[in-house]
Amino acid sequence: MKYVRTLSLYLAFSFIAAVLITLLVIMTPDHTSPISFLEKVGLAGLFLFCCIIGISFTLHPNWVRRYFSKFKDKEKNTQQQVKRSFQGHHPDCPTFQNHTIHWNKKTWCAGCLGLFIGLCASMVLMILYVVTDFQLTNMMSYLLILLGLFILPVVYIEILYRSRYAIVHVIINSLMSLSFFIIIIAVGELTGKFVYGFFTILLCFLWLDVRIQLSKWHHGSLCKNCFESCKMFLTFD
């Protein structure tokens, strides 16, 4: 129950963040000046940097742990004890077969592959957004924010009620990365301020963390109800 309460707090903060973004753009005066080119470049540079960090985690989720030997040793001991190998960041057991996908002669975590595709697409779109000096109308910006905020609960629900098809998970997760892009540029266009775009990027990290926590809970629940004895993921009560 403790982890369920933690998840509830995550979801509550996620909802509050969505409300804050909505209030921010609604309360912005209509006569606000468009975001300057320099501020747009700064916002794009920060977003691209975050995307690169995110891509590194989709390819190597635990790369930070190599600097902490105690985590590395613990992981080795666990793998030796249960004798269960991993493919695409998941145990190679029937329970997690629809959590991975084979692409380019490699087994990928379906969620990570989706985030990877979405982040790469978002980087390309952000570069095009800057170099073409494209400006959104207020109506387009409002619609993009609504679309982006709508995608978030769709992603959360899909994680909890996984489809049998891994490709669906890939598509939904790629949309999450794209939702971050469209929300950020829409907020920047409506407010005309780099600082509000920066604030939106911070909220995107919160929304992404909610997705990670929901995935951990789902993995733990599957392990708890699985007939195998390995129990590679922690179970949460």
Side-chain angles (χ1 to χ4, degrees):
M1 292 300 295
K2 181 178 179 181
Y3 198 80
V4 173
R5 288 195 295 269
T6 301
L7 278 180
S8 299
L9 286 175
Y10 268 98
L11 290 171
F13 284 125
S14 177
F15 175 76
I16 292 173
V19 172
L20 287 176
I21 288 295
T22 304
L23 292 176
L24 176 65
V25 297
I26 290 177
M27 297 176 65
T28 300
D30 293 334
H31 60 274
T32 300
S33 301
I35 185 170
S36 67
F37 180 74
L38 288 179
E39 287 187 307
K40 184 185 293 187
V41 171
L43 186 62
L46 180 60
F47 177 77
L48 293 176
F49 174 75
C50 293
C51 285
I52 292 173
I53 297 298
I55 288 173
S56 72
F57 277 104
T58 63
L59 298 175
H60 304 285
N62 298 320
W63 65 266
V64 175
R65 291 189 180 182
R66 70 181 62 179
Y67 301 105
F68 302 94
S69 58
K70 61 179 181 179
F71 292 111
K72 188 174 182 180
D73 294 338
K74 181 179 179 181
E75 185 177 7
K76 286 183 177 179
N77 293 336
T78 303
Q79 291 182 5
Q80 291 175 357
Q81 181 179 1
V82 299
K83 298 180 180 179
R84 171 71 71 183
S85 62
F86 275 70
Q87 291 184 342
H89 315 151
H90 291 85
D92 60 344
C93 68
T95 302
F96 290 95
Q97 282 185 351
N98 67 333
H99 288 241
T100 58
I101 191 169
H102 299 280
W103 180 62
N104 197 23
K105 298 181 180 180
K106 182 179 179 181
T107 301
W108 288 73
C109 163
C112 288
L113 178 59
L115 291 172
F116 172 80
I117 294 173
L119 288 169
C120 289
S122 297
M123 291 179 67
V124 173
L125 291 173
M126 181 61 83
I127 293 173
L128 291 175
Y129 168 69
V130 174
V131 299
T132 58
D133 197 23
F134 180 75
Q135 291 185 348
L136 301 172
T137 65
N138 285 355
M139 181 58 67
M140 290 174 61
S141 297
Y142 285 124
L143 291 177
L144 286 178
I145 289 177
L146 289 176
L147 176 61
L149 294 179
F150 173 76
I151 291 174
L152 295 176
V154 171
V155 173
Y156 298 159
I157 293 172
E158 194 275 335
I159 291 175
L160 296 177
Y161 303 97
R162 284 289 303 271
S163 168
R164 294 185 302 167
Y165 305 101
I167 190 63
V168 175
H169 196 54
V170 173
I171 295 172
I172 295 296
N173 278 270
S174 65
L175 291 178
M176 184 176 198
S177 302
L178 291 170
S179 73
F180 295 160
F181 162 73
I182 62 177
I183 292 174
I184 290 168
I185 64 168
V187 170
E189 289 287 344
L190 286 171
T191 62
K193 300 293 183 181
F194 168 85
V195 64
Y196 293 132
F198 174 75
F199 174 69
T200 306
I201 290 178
L202 294 181
L203 294 183
C204 288
F205 278 104
L206 169 62
W207 291 323
L208 180 60
D209 197 26
V210 173
R211 178 237 176 268
I212 294 172
Q213 297 304 320
L214 287 173
S215 182
K216 286 183 177 180
W217 179 85
H218 183 61
H219 288 162
S221 298
L222 290 177
C223 263
K224 181 179 180 179
N225 298 318
C226 179
F227 61 87
E228 298 282 351
S229 60
C230 58
K231 305 304 179 187
M232 293 304 292
F233 291 105
L234 294 175
T235 56
F236 306 112
D237 296 321

